Amino acid sequence: MAAAFCLFLSLIFLFSPFPAQGEIIAEIKQKQGEDEPYIGVNIGTDASNFLSPSDLVSFLQVQKINHVRLYDADPDLLKALAKTKIRVIIGVPNNQLIAIGSSNATAATWVGRNVVAYYPETTIIAIAVGDEVLTTMPSTAPLLLPAIESLYSALVASNLHSQIKVSTPHSASLILDPFPPSQAFFNTSMTQYLLPIVKFLSRTQSPLMMNLYPYYVFMENKGVVPLDNALFKPLTPSKEMVDPNTLLHYTNVYDAMVDSAYFSMKNLNVTDVVVLVSETGWPSKADSKEPYATMDNADTYNSNLIKHVFDKTGSPFHPETTSSVYLYELFNEDLRSPPISEANWGLFYGNTTPVYLLHVSGSGTFLANDTTNQTYCIAMEGVDTKTLQTALDWACGPGRANCSKIQPGESCYSPNNVQNHASYAFDSYYQMEGKSPGSCDFKGVATITTSDPSHGSCIFPGSKKEGNNTREVVNSTQVTSGSFLSYGSNRKSLMDSFLTSLCTIMFLLSNSYF
């Protein structure tokens, strides 16, 4: 019945008057201007075997990532970014604030060494002065504005102040009573520092940088904030958050956080500063204390956020203005201190394989080579044989992966070891599940790779070399007379797979536009 209903819906979809292909392409092209909202990435470097600057830049170009935020001004990386047109926010580390805020000469030297030396070959667009200084280093607060103004004066002296903005990223915790957004206000104990900073941003037409994490809002308000609100999932009207003062409807936590920043500035009588989201994201892994830090949720949040930005719907309070966003972060930083979630915010592992599969095809130019393309699931190196064997047995048994080619005498039997056989079985299951988030895990012994693991005559299920060969389903690592499904059962399975695929295509087509 479900399959028949799905087919019925598919036919409706196919013959419904959806927008013409030309209209869809035209809309995507409209998203490519530099004045349009964009998605960038934060690049933290606390990762083992971190890419060389040249390799990192090549990776950014392959992924079509055109905006990055650095937490410092690494000279080798700034050199590597030259002539790439990748737009860069460089950072003043917190430990340099005191020196820069205390001396105009030090600020001028910093700009000469880290900006003038590379601009315009390296497209530096902003300086982020410190990071969450007012909440993490309150004793340094009096020096924050002097540091900002000294750096700005140095840019003026070099005639770069109109091309390069100066701002400072704030923590969302600086905003008190954030919901409803119309009641939000900046922590009054920091007003003496914030008011002149916001006025500076207004005077220089610079953005208010905010680090906004719906993940933490959800974790701190479980039972009050539904998970769907935090993940941008569609809501029924009854579940939408309504601001009783403005009657504005909020379908997601992110928009409410953006508007809380706007209302907080409004309470300081500043209404002409745009919010730039300098950090946001969702962790993909954590310990038992953070059960919602999963690959599925991380994929859902970041994929939906990207679509939300490129839809250019703004926020309920400012529908005419869509904030640009920097995702936290590009790579997992495995050298970060506990908790485990701290090391697992990345879109990619340090070796550039995706942590999970963002679904962003058609969403502007960011990651236009959707990370669902040509990925494979293989066994991780260094896992003990017993653990791998257990995962292999599950994949070929309850998982119903096609394990026929790793049987004796078949093309993928050699080399005859658990590592090789597990990799083939894992990839078979992963491809069978449509590369869905979480389907390449096997209790932590599998990993995603973009390198085709096929070798010799052994062609892996996800390889383009495989073609459209018919795949049989094996439910055991040992082939016996009872291993294969009966013909009638297999035919039904194939029909179900066809209908499921048709529904999936229907879903993807609809989401690629809307």
Side-chain angles (χ1 to χ4, degrees):
M1 288 296 293
F5 180 65
C6 182
L7 180 59
F8 172 70
L9 289 178
S10 302
L11 293 173
I12 291 176
F13 170 83
L14 290 172
F15 293 101
S16 293
F18 279 90
Q21 183 72 13
E23 294 177 49
I24 298 174
I25 294 173
E27 177 159 331
I28 292 173
K29 286 183 177 179
Q30 289 175 2
K31 298 171 181 173
Q32 296 178 355
E34 278 305 319
D35 291 333
E36 301 293 327
Y38 61 82
I39 298 285
V41 294
N42 288 275
I43 303 179
T45 57
D46 288 338
S48 54
N49 301 316
F50 194 73
L51 295 177
S52 69
S54 59
D55 287 343
L56 174 56
V57 171
S58 296
F59 177 69
L60 293 171
Q61 291 174 315
V62 167
Q63 291 296 334
K64 294 183 169 56
I65 296 173
N66 297 318
H67 294 81
V68 298
R69 176 188 168 207
L70 312 180
Y71 289 95
D72 54 17
D74 180 80
D76 293 329
L77 185 51
L78 289 175
K79 287 177 187 175
L81 286 163
K83 299 180 181 179
T84 62
K85 297 184 180 180
I86 294 173
R87 294 174 169 249
V88 187
I89 294 177
I90 58 175
V92 176
N94 287 352
N95 60 13
Q96 297 180 23
L97 269 182
I98 294 177
I100 291 175
S102 304
S103 167
N104 290 336
T106 301
T109 299
W110 194 95
V111 168
R113 182 184 299 124
N114 299 301
V115 179
V116 177
Y118 303 103
Y119 190 89
E121 284 79 10
T122 299
T123 312
I124 300 169
I125 62 170
I127 301 173
V129 185
D131 188 42
E132 302 187 351
V133 174
L134 297 182
T135 48
T136 61
M137 299 175 59
S139 62
T140 313
L143 290 173
L144 182 55
L145 180 62
I148 291 172
E149 289 183 328
S150 294
L151 291 166
Y152 180 75
S153 296
L155 290 174
V156 171
S158 299
N159 198 29
L160 295 176
H161 59 290
S162 60
Q163 297 100 312
I164 300 173
K165 303 299 181 182
V166 183
S167 187
T168 181
H170 298 292
S171 165
S173 63
L174 197 61
I175 298 173
L176 303 183
D177 201 8
F179 195 85
S182 61
Q183 295 179 189
F185 59 95
F186 288 121
N187 188 330
T188 52
S189 67
M190 290 294 171
T191 300
Q192 59 179 314
Y193 308 117
L194 268 170
L195 180 58
I197 287 174
V198 174
K199 287 186 174 180
F200 168 85
L201 299 177
S202 174
R203 186 174 72 252
T204 60
Q205 298 182 347
S206 301
L208 175 73
M209 295 181 175
M210 295 296 303
N211 297 342
L212 305 179
Y213 289 96
Y215 172 74
Y216 289 123
V217 173
F218 167 73
M219 290 296 291
E220 292 165 8
N221 297 276
K222 283 183 290 186
V224 177
V225 176
L227 180 61
D228 286 354
N229 287 68
L231 295 175
F232 294 93
K233 288 188 176 181
L235 300 172
T236 60
S238 64
K239 290 187 178 181
E240 291 180 359
M241 301 176 288
V242 180
D243 188 322
N245 302 312
T246 61
L247 299 183
L248 293 172
H249 286 238
Y250 289 87
T251 60
N252 61 80
V253 174
Y254 171 86
D255 279 345
M257 297 184 79
V258 170
D259 276 357
S260 71
Y262 277 119
F263 277 106
S264 295
M265 286 192 288
K266 185 180 179 183
N267 284 332
L268 297 179
N269 296 316
V270 175
T271 58
D272 60 349
V273 173
V274 173
V275 172
L276 172 66
V277 181
S278 41
E279 288 182 15
T280 191
W282 197 284
S284 61
K285 185 179 180 181
D287 58 28
S288 58
K289 294 180 181 178
E290 298 181 69
Y292 297 94
T294 66
M295 289 187 182
D296 283 347
N297 287 341
D299 173 33
T300 299
Y301 177 80
N302 282 324
S303 295
N304 287 341
L305 171 69
I306 292 166
K307 294 171 186 175
H308 186 64
V309 170
F310 286 123
D311 281 345
K312 297 187 294 186
T313 53
S315 63
F317 186 47
H318 278 296
E320 78 287 353
T321 303
T322 299
S323 296
S324 293
V325 173
Y326 287 81
L327 297 178
Y328 186 82
E329 61 184 329
L330 184 59
F331 298 117
N332 274 352
E333 294 185 272
D334 61 310
L335 300 181
R336 295 293 295 269
S337 301
I340 294 173
S341 60
E342 279 297 302
N344 290 280
W345 289 83
L347 302 177
F348 297 87
Y349 294 106
N351 63 3
T352 73
T353 59
V355 176
Y356 50 86
L357 305 177
L358 278 176
H359 292 74
V360 295
S361 289
S363 294
T365 57
F366 178 80
L367 285 176
N369 292 339
D370 191 322
T371 57
T372 53
N373 290 339
Q374 289 307 111
T375 53
Y376 312 85
C377 180
I378 60 173
M380 294 179 69
E381 299 285 345
V383 178
D384 67 273
T385 302
K386 183 178 179 181
T387 303
L388 267 186
Q389 184 65 56
T390 300
L392 169 60
D393 291 343
W394 184 91
C396 295
R400 299 182 67 193
N402 179 0
C403 297
S404 60
K405 290 188 179 180
I406 56 176
Q407 307 307 318
E410 297 296 328
S411 58
C412 294
Y413 179 71
S414 296
N416 179 20
N417 58 58
V418 176
Q419 180 85 22
N420 175 61
H421 291 178
S423 289
Y424 186 91
F426 291 172
D427 193 54
S428 173
Y429 179 81
Y430 173 64
Q431 304 298 335
M432 180 180 71
E433 291 295 309
K435 306 180 185 179
S436 63
S439 62
C440 182
D441 183 60
F442 297 94
K443 295 189 175 181
V445 301
T447 185
I448 294 170
T449 179
T450 54
S451 300
D452 190 342
S454 301
H455 51 90
S457 60
C458 175
I459 308 302
F460 269 56
S463 175
K464 285 184 177 179
K465 303 171 186 175
E466 186 186 49
N468 296 317
N469 295 335
T470 302
R471 299 178 188 174
E472 298 167 303
V473 178
V474 183
N475 62 8
S476 172
T477 53
Q478 298 297 319
V479 178
T480 67
S481 59
S483 296
F484 293 88
L485 297 175
S486 67
Y487 172 75
S489 175
N490 198 38
R491 180 173 59 183
K492 180 181 182 297
S493 176
L494 289 171
M495 179 58 72
D496 286 344
S497 297
F498 168 74
L499 293 174
T500 300
S501 299
L502 187 58
C503 289
T504 302
I505 293 169
M506 184 179 83
F507 172 78
L508 292 174
L509 284 172
S510 62
N511 277 279
S512 67
Y513 177 70
F514 294 105

